[in-house]
Amino acid sequence: MDDPAFLQALEDCTLPPAEFGHAGHVRAGYLCLRDNEFGTGLMRFRAALKRYAGHLGAPGKYHETVTVAWLSLIQQHLTLRGD
């Protein structure tokens, strides 16, 4: 699945759970941050993740501190690499 379809499936809650392991989380975070400033990308990722977790019946799996920390690391990578 290409990047736009992957992100859309996450946001629409149609992404199969098997495609949203650790690599899927990092991919989605990267995609949300790649073309946005940090605050906007974080809000998009946060909303998608909360909606997806709720859809799967696991809203308690969302953790704000972990989410912000991981996205900060991804942003640092983007900044250092110039992507």
Coordinates of all heavy atoms in Angstrom, one line a residue:
M1 N 0.9 -1.2 0.0 CA 0.0 0.0 0.0 C 0.9 1.2 0.0 O 1.9 1.3 0.8 CB -0.9 -0.1 1.3 CG -1.7 1.1 1.6 SD -2.8 0.9 3.0 CE -3.2 -0.8 3.2
D2 N 0.6 2.2 -0.9 CA 1.4 3.4 -0.9 C 1.1 4.3 0.3 O 0.2 4.1 1.1 CB 1.2 4.1 -2.2 CG -0.1 4.8 -2.4 OD1 -0.9 4.8 -1.5 OD2 -0.4 5.2 -3.6
D3 N 2.0 5.3 0.5 CA 1.9 6.1 1.7 C 0.6 6.8 1.9 O 0.0 6.8 2.9 CB 3.1 7.1 1.7 CG 4.4 6.5 2.0 OD1 4.5 5.4 2.5 OD2 5.4 7.2 1.7
P4 N 0.0 7.5 0.8 CA -1.2 8.2 1.0 C -2.4 7.2 1.4 O -3.2 7.5 2.3 CB -1.5 8.9 -0.3 CG -0.2 9.0 -0.9 CD 0.6 7.8 -0.5
A5 N -2.4 6.0 0.8 CA -3.4 5.0 1.1 C -3.3 4.5 2.5 O -4.3 4.3 3.2 CB -3.4 3.9 0.0
F6 N -2.0 4.3 2.9 CA -1.8 3.8 4.3 C -2.3 4.8 5.3 O -3.0 4.4 6.2 CB -0.3 3.6 4.4 CG 0.1 3.2 5.8 CD1 0.0 1.9 6.2 CD2 0.6 4.1 6.7 CE1 0.4 1.5 7.5 CE2 1.0 3.8 8.0 CZ 0.9 2.5 8.4
L7 N -1.9 6.1 5.1 CA -2.3 7.1 6.1 C -3.9 7.2 6.1 O -4.5 7.4 7.1 CB -1.6 8.4 5.8 CG -1.7 9.5 6.9 CD1 -1.3 8.9 8.3 CD2 -0.9 10.7 6.5
Q8 N -4.4 7.2 4.9 CA -5.9 7.3 4.8 C -6.6 6.2 5.5 O -7.6 6.3 6.2 CB -6.3 7.4 3.3 CG -7.8 7.8 3.1 CD -8.1 9.1 3.7 OE1 -7.5 10.1 3.3 NE2 -9.1 9.2 4.5
A9 N -6.1 5.0 5.3 CA -6.7 3.8 5.9 C -6.6 3.9 7.4 O -7.5 3.5 8.2 CB -6.0 2.5 5.4
L10 N -5.5 4.4 7.9 CA -5.3 4.6 9.4 C -6.4 5.6 9.9 O -7.1 5.4 10.8 CB -3.9 5.1 9.8 CG -3.7 5.5 11.2 CD1 -3.9 4.3 12.1 CD2 -2.4 6.1 11.4
E11 N -6.5 6.7 9.2 CA -7.4 7.8 9.6 C -8.9 7.3 9.4 O -9.7 7.8 10.2 CB -7.2 9.1 8.8 CG -5.8 9.7 9.2 CD -5.5 10.9 8.4 OE1 -5.8 11.0 7.2 OE2 -4.9 11.8 9.0
D12 N -9.2 6.5 8.5 CA -10.5 6.0 8.2 C -10.8 4.7 9.1 O -11.9 4.2 9.0 CB -10.7 5.6 6.8 CG -10.7 6.7 5.8 OD1 -10.8 7.9 6.3 OD2 -10.6 6.5 4.6
C13 N -9.8 4.3 9.8 CA -10.0 3.0 10.7 C -10.2 1.8 9.8 O -10.9 0.9 10.3 CB -11.0 3.2 11.7 SG -10.7 4.6 12.9
T14 N -9.7 1.8 8.6 CA -9.9 0.6 7.8 C -8.5 -0.2 7.6 O -8.5 -1.2 6.9 CB -10.4 1.0 6.3 OG1 -9.5 1.9 5.7 CG2 -11.8 1.6 6.4
L15 N -7.5 0.3 8.2 CA -6.2 -0.3 8.2 C -6.2 -1.6 9.0 O -6.6 -1.6 10.2 CB -5.1 0.6 8.8 CG -3.7 0.1 8.7 CD1 -3.2 0.1 7.2 CD2 -2.8 1.0 9.5
P16 N -5.8 -2.7 8.4 CA -5.8 -4.0 9.2 C -4.8 -3.9 10.4 O -3.7 -3.4 10.2 CB -5.3 -5.0 8.2 CG -5.6 -4.4 6.8 CD -5.5 -3.0 7.0
P17 N -5.2 -4.3 11.6 CA -4.3 -4.2 12.7 C -3.0 -4.8 12.5 O -2.0 -4.4 13.0 CB -5.1 -5.0 13.8 CG -6.5 -4.8 13.4 CD -6.6 -4.8 11.9
A18 N -2.9 -5.9 11.6 CA -1.6 -6.5 11.4 C -0.6 -5.6 10.7 O 0.6 -5.8 10.7 CB -1.9 -7.8 10.5
E19 N -1.2 -4.5 10.0 CA -0.3 -3.6 9.3 C 0.1 -2.4 10.2 O 0.7 -1.4 9.7 CB -1.0 -3.1 8.1 CG -1.1 -4.2 7.0 CD -1.5 -3.7 5.7 OE1 -1.1 -2.6 5.3 OE2 -2.3 -4.4 5.0
F20 N -0.3 -2.4 11.5 CA 0.0 -1.3 12.4 C 0.7 -1.7 13.6 O 0.4 -1.3 14.7 CB -1.3 -0.5 12.7 CG -1.1 0.9 13.2 CD1 -0.5 1.8 12.3 CD2 -1.5 1.3 14.4 CE1 -0.2 3.1 12.8 CE2 -1.3 2.6 14.8 CZ -0.6 3.5 14.0
G21 N 1.8 -2.4 13.4 CA 2.7 -2.8 14.5 C 3.7 -1.6 14.6 O 3.4 -0.4 14.3
H22 N 4.8 -1.8 15.2 CA 5.8 -0.8 15.5 C 6.2 0.0 14.2 O 6.2 1.2 14.1 CB 7.1 -1.3 16.1 CG 8.1 -0.3 16.3 ND1 8.0 0.7 17.3 CD2 9.3 -0.1 15.7 CE1 9.1 1.5 17.2 NE2 9.9 1.0 16.2
A23 N 6.5 -0.7 13.1 CA 6.9 -0.1 11.9 C 5.7 0.8 11.3 O 6.0 1.8 10.8 CB 7.3 -1.1 10.8
G24 N 4.5 0.3 11.5 CA 3.4 1.1 11.0 C 3.2 2.4 11.8 O 2.8 3.4 11.2
H25 N 3.4 2.3 13.1 CA 3.4 3.5 13.9 C 4.4 4.5 13.5 O 4.1 5.7 13.3 CB 3.6 3.2 15.4 CG 2.4 2.6 16.1 ND1 2.0 1.3 15.9 CD2 1.7 3.2 17.1 CE1 0.9 1.1 16.7 NE2 0.7 2.2 17.4
V26 N 5.6 4.1 13.3 CA 6.7 5.0 12.8 C 6.4 5.5 11.4 O 6.6 6.7 11.2 CB 8.1 4.2 12.8 CG1 9.2 5.1 12.2 CG2 8.5 3.8 14.3
R27 N 5.9 4.7 10.6 CA 5.6 5.1 9.2 C 4.5 6.2 9.3 O 4.6 7.3 8.6 CB 5.1 4.0 8.4 CG 4.7 4.3 6.9 CD 4.2 3.1 6.2 NE 3.9 3.4 4.8 CZ 3.3 2.5 4.0 NH1 2.9 1.3 4.5 NH2 3.0 2.9 2.8
A28 N 3.5 6.0 10.0 CA 2.4 7.0 10.1 C 2.9 8.3 10.7 O 2.6 9.4 10.3 CB 1.2 6.4 11.0
G29 N 3.7 8.2 11.8 CA 4.3 9.4 12.4 C 5.1 10.2 11.4 O 5.0 11.4 11.3
Y30 N 6.0 9.5 10.6 CA 6.8 10.1 9.6 C 5.9 10.8 8.6 O 6.2 11.9 8.2 CB 7.7 9.0 8.9 CG 8.4 9.5 7.7 CD1 9.5 10.3 7.7 CD2 7.9 9.2 6.4 CE1 10.1 10.7 6.6 CE2 8.5 9.6 5.3 CZ 9.6 10.4 5.4 OH 10.2 10.9 4.2
L31 N 4.9 10.1 8.1 CA 4.0 10.7 7.1 C 3.3 11.9 7.6 O 3.1 12.9 6.8 CB 3.0 9.6 6.6 CG 3.6 8.4 5.8 CD1 2.6 7.4 5.5 CD2 4.3 8.9 4.6
C32 N 2.9 11.9 8.8 CA 2.2 13.1 9.4 C 3.1 14.2 9.6 O 2.7 15.4 9.5 CB 1.6 12.7 10.8 SG 0.1 11.7 10.6
L33 N 4.4 14.0 9.9 CA 5.4 15.1 10.1 C 6.1 15.5 8.8 O 6.5 16.7 8.8 CB 6.4 14.6 11.1 CG 5.9 14.3 12.5 CD1 7.1 13.7 13.3 CD2 5.4 15.6 13.2
R34 N 6.2 14.7 7.9 CA 7.0 15.0 6.7 C 6.6 16.3 6.0 O 7.5 17.0 5.6 CB 6.9 13.8 5.7 CG 7.6 14.0 4.4 CD 7.5 12.8 3.5 NE 6.1 12.7 3.1 CZ 5.6 11.7 2.4 NH1 6.4 10.7 2.0 NH2 4.4 11.6 2.1
D35 N 5.4 16.5 5.8 CA 4.9 17.7 5.1 C 4.2 18.8 5.9 O 3.6 19.7 5.4 CB 3.9 17.3 4.0 CG 4.6 16.3 3.0 OD1 5.8 16.5 2.7 OD2 3.9 15.4 2.5
N36 N 4.4 18.7 7.3 CA 3.8 19.6 8.2 C 4.8 20.1 9.2 O 5.8 19.4 9.5 CB 2.6 19.0 8.9 CG 1.5 18.5 8.0 OD1 0.8 19.4 7.4 ND2 1.3 17.2 7.8
E37 N 4.5 21.2 9.8 CA 5.3 21.6 11.0 C 4.9 20.6 12.2 O 3.9 20.0 12.1 CB 5.1 23.1 11.3 CG 3.7 23.5 11.7 CD 3.5 23.4 13.2 OE1 4.4 23.6 14.0 OE2 2.4 23.2 13.6
F38 N 5.8 20.6 13.2 CA 5.6 19.6 14.2 C 4.3 19.6 14.9 O 3.6 18.5 15.0 CB 6.7 19.8 15.3 CG 6.7 18.7 16.4 CD1 7.1 17.4 16.1 CD2 6.1 19.0 17.6 CE1 7.0 16.4 17.1 CE2 6.0 18.0 18.6 CZ 6.5 16.7 18.3
G39 N 3.8 20.8 15.3 CA 2.5 20.8 16.0 C 1.3 20.3 15.1 O 0.5 19.5 15.6
T40 N 1.3 20.6 13.9 CA 0.2 20.1 13.0 C 0.4 18.6 12.8 O -0.6 17.9 12.8 CB 0.3 20.9 11.6 OG1 0.2 22.3 11.9 CG2 -0.8 20.4 10.7
G41 N 1.6 18.2 12.5 CA 1.8 16.7 12.3 C 1.4 15.9 13.5 O 0.8 14.9 13.5
L42 N 1.8 16.4 14.7 CA 1.5 15.8 16.0 C 0.0 15.7 16.1 O -0.6 14.6 16.5 CB 2.1 16.5 17.1 CG 1.7 16.0 18.5 CD1 2.1 14.5 18.7 CD2 2.4 16.9 19.6
M43 N -0.7 16.8 15.9 CA -2.2 16.8 16.0 C -2.9 15.8 15.1 O -3.8 15.1 15.5 CB -2.8 18.2 15.8 CG -2.5 19.1 16.9 SD -3.4 20.7 16.9 CE -3.1 21.2 15.2
R44 N -2.4 15.7 13.9 CA -2.9 14.7 12.9 C -2.7 13.3 13.4 O -3.6 12.5 13.3 CB -2.3 15.0 11.5 CG -2.9 14.1 10.5 CD -2.4 14.4 9.1 NE -3.1 13.5 8.1 CZ -2.8 13.5 6.8 NH1 -1.9 14.3 6.4 NH2 -3.5 12.7 6.0
F45 N -1.4 13.0 13.8 CA -1.1 11.7 14.2 C -1.9 11.3 15.5 O -2.4 10.2 15.6 CB 0.4 11.5 14.5 CG 0.8 10.2 14.9 CD1 0.9 9.2 13.9 CD2 1.1 9.9 16.2 CE1 1.3 7.9 14.3 CE2 1.5 8.6 16.6 CZ 1.6 7.6 15.6
R46 N -1.9 12.2 16.5 CA -2.7 12.0 17.7 C -4.1 11.7 17.4 O -4.7 10.7 18.0 CB -2.6 13.2 18.6 CG -3.3 13.1 19.9 CD -3.4 14.5 20.6 NE -2.1 14.9 21.1 CZ -1.6 16.1 21.0 NH1 -2.2 17.0 20.4 NH2 -0.4 16.3 21.6
A47 N -4.8 12.5 16.6 CA -6.2 12.2 16.3 C -6.4 10.9 15.6 O -7.3 10.1 16.0 CB -6.7 13.4 15.4
A48 N -5.5 10.5 14.7 CA -5.7 9.3 13.9 C -5.4 8.1 14.9 O -6.2 7.1 14.9 CB -4.7 9.2 12.8
L49 N -4.4 8.2 15.7 CA -4.1 7.1 16.7 C -5.2 6.9 17.7 O -5.6 5.8 18.0 CB -2.8 7.4 17.3 CG -2.1 6.3 18.1 CD1 -2.0 5.0 17.3 CD2 -0.8 6.7 18.7
K50 N -5.7 8.0 18.3 CA -6.8 7.9 19.2 C -8.1 7.3 18.6 O -8.7 6.4 19.2 CB -7.1 9.2 19.8 CG -6.2 9.7 20.8 CD -6.6 11.0 21.4 CE -5.8 11.4 22.6 NZ -6.4 12.7 23.2
R51 N -8.4 7.7 17.4 CA -9.6 7.2 16.7 C -9.4 5.7 16.4 O -10.3 4.9 16.6 CB -9.8 8.0 15.4 CG -11.1 7.7 14.7 CD -11.4 8.7 13.5 NE -10.2 9.1 12.7 CZ -9.6 10.3 12.8 NH1 -10.1 11.2 13.6 NH2 -8.6 10.6 12.0
Y52 N -8.2 5.4 15.9 CA -7.9 4.0 15.5 C -8.0 3.1 16.8 O -8.6 2.0 16.7 CB -6.6 3.9 14.8 CG -6.3 2.5 14.2 CD1 -7.0 2.1 13.1 CD2 -5.3 1.7 14.7 CE1 -6.7 0.9 12.5 CE2 -5.0 0.5 14.1 CZ -5.7 0.1 13.0 OH -5.4 -1.1 12.4
A53 N -7.4 3.5 17.8 CA -7.4 2.7 19.1 C -8.8 2.5 19.6 O -9.2 1.4 20.0 CB -6.5 3.3 20.1
G54 N -9.6 3.6 19.5 CA -11.0 3.5 19.9 C -11.8 2.5 19.1 O -12.6 1.8 19.6
H55 N -11.5 2.6 17.8 CA -12.2 1.7 16.8 C -11.9 0.3 17.1 O -12.8 -0.6 17.0 CB -11.8 2.1 15.4 CG -12.3 1.1 14.4 ND1 -13.6 1.1 13.9 CD2 -11.6 0.1 13.7 CE1 -13.7 0.2 13.0 NE2 -12.5 -0.4 12.8
L56 N -10.7 0.0 17.6 CA -10.3 -1.4 17.9 C -10.7 -1.8 19.3 O -10.4 -2.9 19.7 CB -8.8 -1.5 17.7 CG -8.2 -1.4 16.3 CD1 -6.7 -1.5 16.4 CD2 -8.8 -2.3 15.3
G57 N -11.4 -0.9 20.0 CA -11.8 -1.2 21.3 C -10.7 -1.1 22.4 O -10.8 -1.8 23.4
A58 N -9.7 -0.4 22.1 CA -8.5 -0.3 23.0 C -8.1 1.2 23.2 O -7.0 1.5 23.0 CB -7.4 -1.1 22.4
P59 N -9.0 2.0 23.6 CA -8.7 3.4 23.8 C -7.6 3.7 24.8 O -6.9 4.6 24.8 CB -10.0 4.1 24.1 CG -10.8 3.1 24.7 CD -10.4 1.8 24.0
G60 N -7.5 2.8 25.8 CA -6.5 2.9 26.8 C -5.1 2.6 26.3 O -4.1 2.9 27.1
K61 N -4.9 2.1 25.1 CA -3.6 1.9 24.6 C -2.9 3.2 24.2 O -1.7 3.2 24.0 CB -3.6 0.9 23.4 CG -3.8 -0.5 23.8 CD -3.4 -1.4 22.7 CE -3.1 -2.8 23.3 NZ -2.2 -3.5 22.5
Y62 N -3.6 4.3 24.0 CA -3.0 5.5 23.6 C -2.3 6.1 24.8 O -2.9 6.2 25.9 CB -4.1 6.5 23.1 CG -3.5 7.9 22.8 CD1 -2.8 8.1 21.6 CD2 -3.5 8.9 23.7 CE1 -2.2 9.3 21.3 CE2 -2.9 10.1 23.5 CZ -2.2 10.3 22.3 OH -1.6 11.5 22.0
H63 N -1.1 6.6 24.6 CA -0.3 7.2 25.7 C 0.3 8.5 25.2 O 1.1 8.5 24.3 CB 0.7 6.2 26.2 CG 1.4 6.6 27.5 ND1 2.3 7.7 27.6 CD2 1.2 6.1 28.7 CE1 2.7 7.8 28.8 NE2 2.0 6.9 29.5
E64 N -0.1 9.6 25.7 CA 0.3 10.9 25.2 C 1.8 11.1 25.3 O 2.4 11.6 24.3 CB -0.4 12.0 26.0 CG -0.1 13.4 25.6 CD -0.6 13.9 24.3 OE1 -1.5 13.1 23.7 OE2 -0.2 14.9 23.8
T65 N 2.4 10.8 26.4 CA 3.8 11.0 26.6 C 4.6 10.2 25.6 O 5.6 10.7 25.0 CB 4.3 10.7 28.0 OG1 3.5 11.5 28.9 CG2 5.8 11.0 28.2
V66 N 4.3 9.0 25.4 CA 5.0 8.1 24.5 C 4.8 8.6 23.1 O 5.8 8.6 22.3 CB 4.5 6.6 24.6 CG1 5.1 5.7 23.5 CG2 4.9 6.1 26.0
T67 N 3.6 9.0 22.7 CA 3.3 9.6 21.4 C 4.2 10.8 21.1 O 4.8 10.9 20.0 CB 1.8 9.9 21.2 OG1 1.1 8.7 21.4 CG2 1.5 10.5 19.9
V68 N 4.2 11.7 22.0 CA 5.0 13.0 21.8 C 6.5 12.6 21.7 O 7.2 13.2 20.9 CB 4.7 14.0 22.9 CG1 5.6 15.2 22.7 CG2 3.2 14.4 22.8
A69 N 6.9 11.7 22.6 CA 8.3 11.4 22.6 C 8.7 10.8 21.2 O 9.8 11.1 20.6 CB 8.7 10.4 23.7
W70 N 8.0 9.8 20.8 CA 8.3 9.2 19.5 C 8.3 10.1 18.3 O 9.1 10.1 17.5 CB 7.4 8.0 19.2 CG 7.9 6.7 19.8 CD1 7.4 6.0 20.9 CD2 9.0 5.9 19.4 NE1 8.2 4.9 21.1 CE2 9.2 4.8 20.2 CE3 9.9 6.1 18.3 CZ2 10.2 3.9 20.1 CZ3 11.0 5.2 18.2 CH2 11.1 4.1 19.0
L71 N 7.2 11.0 18.3 CA 7.2 11.9 17.2 C 8.3 13.0 17.3 O 8.8 13.4 16.2 CB 5.8 12.6 17.1 CG 4.9 11.9 16.1 CD1 4.6 10.5 16.4 CD2 3.7 12.7 15.8
S72 N 8.7 13.3 18.5 CA 9.9 14.2 18.6 C 11.1 13.6 18.0 O 11.9 14.2 17.4 CB 10.1 14.5 20.1 OG 9.0 15.3 20.6
L73 N 11.3 12.3 18.3 CA 12.5 11.6 17.7 C 12.4 11.5 16.2 O 13.4 11.7 15.5 CB 12.6 10.2 18.3 CG 13.0 10.1 19.7 CD1 12.8 8.7 20.3 CD2 14.4 10.6 19.9
I74 N 11.2 11.3 15.7 CA 11.0 11.2 14.2 C 11.3 12.6 13.6 O 12.0 12.8 12.6 CB 9.6 10.7 13.8 CG1 9.5 9.3 14.2 CG2 9.4 10.9 12.3 CD1 8.0 8.8 14.2
Q75 N 10.8 13.7 14.3 CA 11.1 15.0 13.8 C 12.5 15.4 13.9 O 13.1 16.0 12.9 CB 10.3 16.0 14.7 CG 10.5 17.5 14.3 CD 9.9 17.7 12.9 OE1 8.7 17.4 12.6 NE2 10.7 18.3 12.0
Q76 N 13.2 14.9 14.9 CA 14.7 15.2 15.0 C 15.4 14.5 13.8 O 16.3 15.1 13.1 CB 15.2 14.6 16.3 CG 16.7 14.8 16.4 CD 17.3 14.2 17.7 OE1 16.8 13.3 18.2 NE2 18.4 14.7 18.1
H77 N 15.0 13.3 13.5 CA 15.6 12.6 12.3 C 15.3 13.3 11.0 O 16.2 13.5 10.2 CB 15.0 11.2 12.2 CG 15.4 10.4 11.0 ND1 16.6 9.8 10.9 CD2 14.7 10.2 9.9 CE1 16.7 9.2 9.8 NE2 15.6 9.4 9.1
L78 N 14.1 13.8 10.8 CA 13.7 14.6 9.6 C 14.6 15.8 9.5 O 15.1 16.2 8.5 CB 12.2 14.9 9.6 CG 11.3 13.8 9.4 CD1 9.8 14.2 9.7 CD2 11.4 13.3 8.0
T79 N 14.7 16.5 10.7 CA 15.5 17.8 10.7 C 17.0 17.5 10.4 O 17.6 18.2 9.6 CB 15.4 18.4 12.1 OG1 14.0 18.7 12.3 CG2 16.2 19.7 12.1
L80 N 17.6 16.5 11.0 CA 19.0 16.2 10.8 C 19.3 15.7 9.4 O 20.3 16.0 8.8 CB 19.4 15.1 11.8 CG 19.5 15.6 13.2 CD1 19.9 14.5 14.2 CD2 20.5 16.8 13.4
R81 N 18.3 14.9 8.8 CA 18.5 14.4 7.4 C 18.1 15.4 6.4 O 18.4 15.2 5.2 CB 17.7 13.1 7.3 CG 18.4 12.0 8.0 CD 17.9 10.7 7.6 NE 17.9 10.6 6.1 CZ 17.7 9.5 5.4 NH1 17.6 8.4 6.0 NH2 17.7 9.5 4.1
G82 N 17.3 16.4 6.7 CA 16.8 17.3 5.7 C 15.7 16.8 4.9 O 15.5 17.3 3.8
D83 N 15.0 15.7 5.4 CA 13.9 15.1 4.6 C 12.7 16.0 4.7 O 12.4 16.7 5.6 CB 13.6 13.7 5.1 CG 14.7 12.7 4.8 OD1 15.5 13.0 4.0 OD2 14.7 11.6 5.4

